[in-house]
Amino acid sequence: MAALTDSDAEETAQKVALITGASSGIGKSAAKTLAREGVRVALAARRKDKLRQLEDHIESEGGTALVVETDVTDEDDVQETIEEIQDSFGRLDILVNSAGMMALNRVEEADMAEFQRMIDVNLNGLMQVTQAVLPLMQRQGSGHVVNISSLAGRKSFPGASGYSASKYGVNGFSEALREEFTGEDTEFIRVTDIEPGFVETDLSEGLPPEWMETLDPADVARSVRYAVSQPPHVDVNEILLRPTQMEL
Ligand SMILES: NC(=O)c1ccc[n+]([C@@H]2O[C@H](COP(=O)([O-])OP(=O)(O)OC[C@H]3O[C@@H](n4cnc5c(N)ncnc54)[C@H](OP(=O)(O)O)[C@@H]3O)[C@@H](O)[C@H]2O)c1
């Protein structure tokens, strides 16, 4: 990938990003990548110890990080997180919604409580965090929402019904959000869906070996960086990336 130009880098620098699911996998990698670009990052997830380790790492590299312990399914938690970001940084430019879980099972064998929990985290949580950041972005007149959807949000496969339902939901939500903020009289908010195939993280542990051709979290983080470093008139709406050898 071509390096960011000086002017792109200036655009990205000094921005503030909230990254959910920052304690692991794609969210963690995205946080490191953005912090290296000079973006101040608020790290959200439930496991505070993991977030603290990431904060130390980012600060050891000269970046700025803020730990915000958050369960995305808890409305009060989410609201407190936004207030902490407002108090610490006074603005919010980028939201990366990466918090998620995956339970794969055939419908007839599925534990419905697990499927519902997946919808709660992957879809309801994402919608809740997105709604909560909008007032800040609207006040600024700009913002960028990056949703980590999935290849499973573009095509489904046996065993992925509940997970796909959550990710198709994310894609539908993203498109409506984009259209709501398009037009001359509305604020300037960009929306990007990133749709990776399998990525080697805690979430994909235990998948059948024939599915284990994987991407690295850093491959997805580069997509996030690409989307958020475009000039203001470019809105990258969708990035679908598969491991080259992946057949699904
Ligand atoms: N790995 C793949 O193959 C793949 C492919 C396509 C898309 N994705 C998507 O990428 C995103 C990140 O997944 P990953 O692969 O990086 O998995 P991961 O390493 O398991 O990370 C999942 C993250 O979500 C957080 N999380 C889960 N429930 C949460 C909740 N209720 N509130 C706040 N944070 C919560 C976890 O943090 P805590 O446990 O600390 O809360 C963790 O940081 C997910 O949306 C996933 O669907 C993954």
Side-chain angles (χ1 to χ4, degrees), residues 65-201:
L66 172 74
V67 168
V68 277
E69 189 180 353
T70 315
D71 181 336
V72 296
T73 66
D74 183 318
E75 196 178 342
D76 294 338
D77 255 20
V78 170
Q79 219 42 60
E80 276 170 31
T81 289
I82 305 306
E83 281 161 25
E84 271 193 63
I85 293 170
Q86 169 71 44
D87 291 348
S88 300
F89 298 130
R91 59 182 298 116
L92 181 60
D93 303 281
I94 300 163
L95 165 64
V96 180
N97 276 310
S98 191
M101 58 174 283
M102 179 170 75
L104 297 180
N105 219 335
R106 293 177 62 86
V107 175
E108 73 218 23
E109 289 156 10
D111 173 351
M112 275 301 138
E114 196 174 43
F115 269 26
Q116 281 156 13
R117 174 80 189 147
M118 194 159 53
I119 300 285
D120 265 352
V121 177
N122 296 2
L123 181 57
N124 295 339
L126 176 144
M127 294 196 290
Q128 183 154 265
V129 178
T130 304
Q131 187 191 44
V133 304
L134 287 179
L136 265 176
M137 291 183 173
Q138 284 173 295
R139 209 174 313 143
Q140 290 160 200
S142 69
H144 197 148
V145 177
V146 180
N147 291 328
I148 308 299
S149 177
S150 172
L151 169 63
R154 285 284 298 269
K155 74 177 287 291
S156 201
F157 49 90
S161 57
Y163 184 66
S164 263
S166 73
K167 296 300 188 178
Y168 272 77
V170 168
N171 288 10
F173 176 76
S174 301
E175 177 56 14
L177 182 70
R178 185 189 73 76
E179 292 189 29
E180 285 174 18
F181 285 99
T182 305
E184 285 176 19
D185 299 328
T186 55
E187 292 78 10
F188 180 46
I189 292 180
R190 291 184 275 182
V191 184
T192 303
D193 256 344
I194 298 191
E195 302 159 335
F198 290 122
V199 186
E200 193 169 354
T201 66

